[in-house]
């Protein structure tokens, strides 16, 4: 019985790791981007059990395979641990240029509105991005919404509604449908208290799941990367990307957009699933151009959603930040090709499904 358990654990860890190496939009392949920590734990358990339980070639093969799995998964996760070097400096530079931002997938079916309202009241962010908001959520949040002078909302019944709020001056906030008519995104030009301008991007594409491959998701992420690349302003990107930080698509997004990730060297900041602390993945993101420093970033408590909220305070200080921060990793030809193909294939998938929006991304 224990032998069967060892083989089952080893097969699952090895198969998931092998599938995660493939380049594909298929949901049953891309889903293996997510549980890297879980696969590494399974491989460690199989490794520890294999040594006393198996023998001969069976033990040698399982031990070797599990060492490879642990090594590979550990390599992918390592940057998101305190053992790695940070790439975003922690510093307060000119408080008038510091911004507090909050992003939360509320879970549309979660009707415990008050817990979310109380959390927002406590955190009191300058910029607020709420996802999966329908008309019920918009109505319940009216006291919060009314406090913010700049508002954009797209209440939807399909798990992809969005509310964007800012107390900071906003020039041209726009909710747009980058690929299809079902998943809105928000783009805005915002000014700090001292008048420094930056671009804000809020995303919530669809996740890989049965019947939903990742072509459209990857296209939305690629368009946002291209937008950041083309704009002359600093950029702050947040949201539930339905993708993990270490995936091929997120790494392409980071390099093409010239972003830094404040989680690198600090921790996973895992947010989903909220009710399984040991098995969470970092689905809710904060990326920034190298013009920002980090004051703090935190994952907040569970208030009834399947996601945990993310709150951060950053300071826009281009000259100082570019000295204190690491240089963004440069994209290569493979990244540029991946971006172009992702946008093309995502648009094609939306057309084939009859959901194409026909819209273009806002001007950088």
């Amino acid at each position: 019985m224990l032998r069967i358990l060892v083989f089952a654990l080893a097969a699952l860890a090895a198969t998931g790791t092998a599938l995660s190496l493939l380049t594909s939009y298929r949901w049953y392949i891309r889903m293996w981007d997510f549980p890297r920590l879980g696969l590494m734990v399974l491989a460690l358990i199989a490794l520890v059990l294999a040594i006393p339980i198996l023998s001969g070639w069976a033990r040698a093969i399982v031990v070797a395979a599990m060492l490879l799995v642990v090594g590979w998964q550990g390599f992918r996760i390592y940057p998101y641990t305190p053992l790695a070097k940070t790439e975003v400096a922690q510093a307060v530079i000119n408080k008038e240029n510091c911004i507090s931002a909050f992003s939360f997938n509320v879970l549309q079916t979660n009707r415990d509105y008050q817990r979310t309202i109380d959390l927002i009241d406590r955190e009191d962010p300058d910029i607020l991005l709420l996802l999966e908001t329908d008309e019920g959520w918009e109505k319940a949040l009216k006291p919060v919404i009314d406090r913010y002078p700049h508002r954009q909302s797209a209440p939807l019944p399909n798990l992809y509604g969005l509310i964007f709020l800012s107390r900071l001056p906003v020039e041209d906030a726009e909710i747009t449908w980058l690929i299809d008519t079902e998943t809105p995104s928000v783009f805005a030009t915002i000014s700090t208290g001292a008048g420094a301008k930056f671009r804000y991007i809020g995303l919530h594409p669809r996740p890989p799941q049965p019947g939903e491959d990742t072509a459209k998701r990857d296209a939305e992420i690629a368009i946002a990367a291209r937008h950041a690349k083309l704009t002359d302003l600093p950029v702050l990107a947040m949201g539930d990307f339905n993708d993990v930080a270490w995936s091929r698509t997120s790494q392409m997004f980071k390099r093409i957009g010239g972003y830094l990730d404040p989680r690198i060297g600090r921790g996973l900041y895992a947010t989903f699933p909220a009710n399984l602390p040991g098995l969470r993945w970092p689905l809710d993101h904060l990326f920034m151009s190298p013009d920002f420093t980090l004051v703090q970033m935190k994952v907040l408590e569970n208030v009834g959603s399947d996601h945990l909220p993310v709150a951060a305070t950053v300071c826009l200080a281009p000259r100082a930040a570019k000295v204190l921060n690491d240089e963004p990793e440069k994209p290569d030809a493979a990244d540029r090709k991946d971006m172009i193909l992702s946008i093309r294939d995502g648009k094609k998938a939306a057309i084939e499904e009859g959901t194409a929006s026909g819209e273009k991304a806002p001007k950088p």
Side-chain angles (χ1 to χ4, degrees):
M1 187 66 180
L2 285 176
R3 286 174 60 88
I4 294 174
L5 176 63
V6 172
F7 287 131
L9 292 175
L12 180 59
T15 301
T17 300
L19 289 174
S20 74
L21 299 174
L22 300 179
T23 301
S24 173
Y25 296 122
R26 297 298 182 187
W27 70 268
Y28 51 81
I29 292 176
R30 295 305 298 276
M31 63 179 277
W32 295 105
D33 284 335
F34 293 74
R36 292 197 181 276
L37 183 59
L39 291 173
M40 187 170 72
V41 170
L42 288 180
L44 284 169
I45 294 172
L47 178 63
V48 170
L49 292 177
I51 294 172
I53 293 171
L54 303 181
S55 61
W57 281 107
R59 179 168 63 186
I61 291 171
V62 169
V63 167
M66 293 305 96
L67 286 173
L68 287 173
V69 169
V70 170
W72 175 247
Q73 301 294 10
F75 170 75
R76 297 303 298 271
I77 295 169
Y78 168 75
Y80 303 92
T81 70
L83 299 175
K85 180 182 179 295
T86 60
E87 63 179 26
V88 178
Q90 189 166 17
V92 177
I93 300 173
N94 186 0
K95 290 185 178 180
E96 287 296 308
N97 273 333
C98 294
I99 308 128
S100 59
F102 180 102
S103 173
F104 184 32
N105 182 325
V106 301
L107 181 63
Q108 182 178 298
T109 56
N110 167 29
R111 298 305 177 185
D112 192 354
Y113 304 121
Q114 194 58 48
R115 292 172 70 188
T116 296
I117 293 171
D118 290 344
L119 182 65
I120 294 170
D121 289 345
R122 188 190 78 197
E123 295 297 318
D124 193 29
D126 297 321
I127 301 170
L128 182 60
L129 178 68
L130 299 174
L131 306 168
E132 285 200 30
T133 49
D134 60 4
E135 290 184 354
W137 270 99
E138 186 172 56
K139 182 178 178 181
L141 290 168
K142 189 176 185 304
V144 173
I145 294 171
D146 287 347
R147 295 203 305 265
Y148 287 84
H150 305 282
R151 313 159 191 162
Q152 292 285 327
S153 179
L156 296 173
N158 67 351
L159 306 180
Y160 293 94
L162 177 155
I163 295 174
F164 167 76
L165 306 171
S166 174
R167 70 160 56 97
L168 299 173
V170 175
E171 287 188 11
D172 55 1
E174 178 182 353
I175 288 179
T176 184
W177 281 257
L178 296 175
I179 292 294
D180 63 26
T181 56
E182 299 173 343
T183 53
S185 304
V186 63
F187 290 73
T189 300
I190 304 175
S191 298
T192 67
K197 294 181 181 180
F198 65 96
R199 288 292 280 171
Y200 180 90
I201 301 173
L203 297 179
H204 185 208
R206 291 181 177 273
Q209 58 190 352
E212 185 72 47
D213 293 332
T214 67
K216 293 191 295 180
R217 180 201 70 177
D218 293 357
E220 289 190 32
I221 293 173
I223 289 171
R226 183 180 65 185
H227 183 89
K229 176 178 180 289
L230 295 175
T231 186
D232 293 328
L233 293 175
V235 183
L236 202 62
M238 297 187 79
D240 171 9
F241 286 25
N242 275 312
D243 196 15
V244 282
W246 47 70
S247 78
R248 173 178 57 84
T249 303
S250 287
Q251 290 298 302
M252 176 272 291
F253 168 84
K254 184 172 178 283
R255 289 190 291 266
I256 289 288
Y259 289 108
L260 298 178
D261 186 341
R263 293 166 295 190
I264 288 180
R266 292 187 171 93
L268 291 175
Y269 292 83
T271 57
F272 177 90
N275 292 323
L276 296 174
L279 298 174
R280 289 178 190 152
W281 312 317
L283 290 192
D284 299 270
H285 301 284
L286 169 66
F287 291 98
M288 60 185 69
S289 61
D291 312 275
F292 294 89
T293 59
L294 180 70
V295 179
Q296 67 169 349
M297 179 177 177
K298 54 188 176 180
V299 174
L300 303 173
E301 69 268 23
N302 187 347
V303 290
S305 175
D306 53 349
H307 287 249
L308 297 177
V310 173
T313 302
V314 300
C315 294
L316 178 54
R319 293 176 64 181
K322 287 180 180 178
V323 173
L324 296 171
N325 293 338
D326 282 358
E327 282 283 330
E329 189 177 354
K330 301 294 185 184
D332 57 18
D335 290 319
R336 289 185 280 271
K337 180 180 179 182
D338 194 12
M339 178 191 71
I340 293 168
L341 293 180
S342 293
I343 295 172
R344 183 201 69 183
D345 295 343
K347 289 181 176 180
K348 180 180 178 183
I351 290 170
E352 291 174 350
E353 294 172 13
T355 61
S357 67
E359 292 191 14
K360 295 182 179 180
K363 292 182 180 179

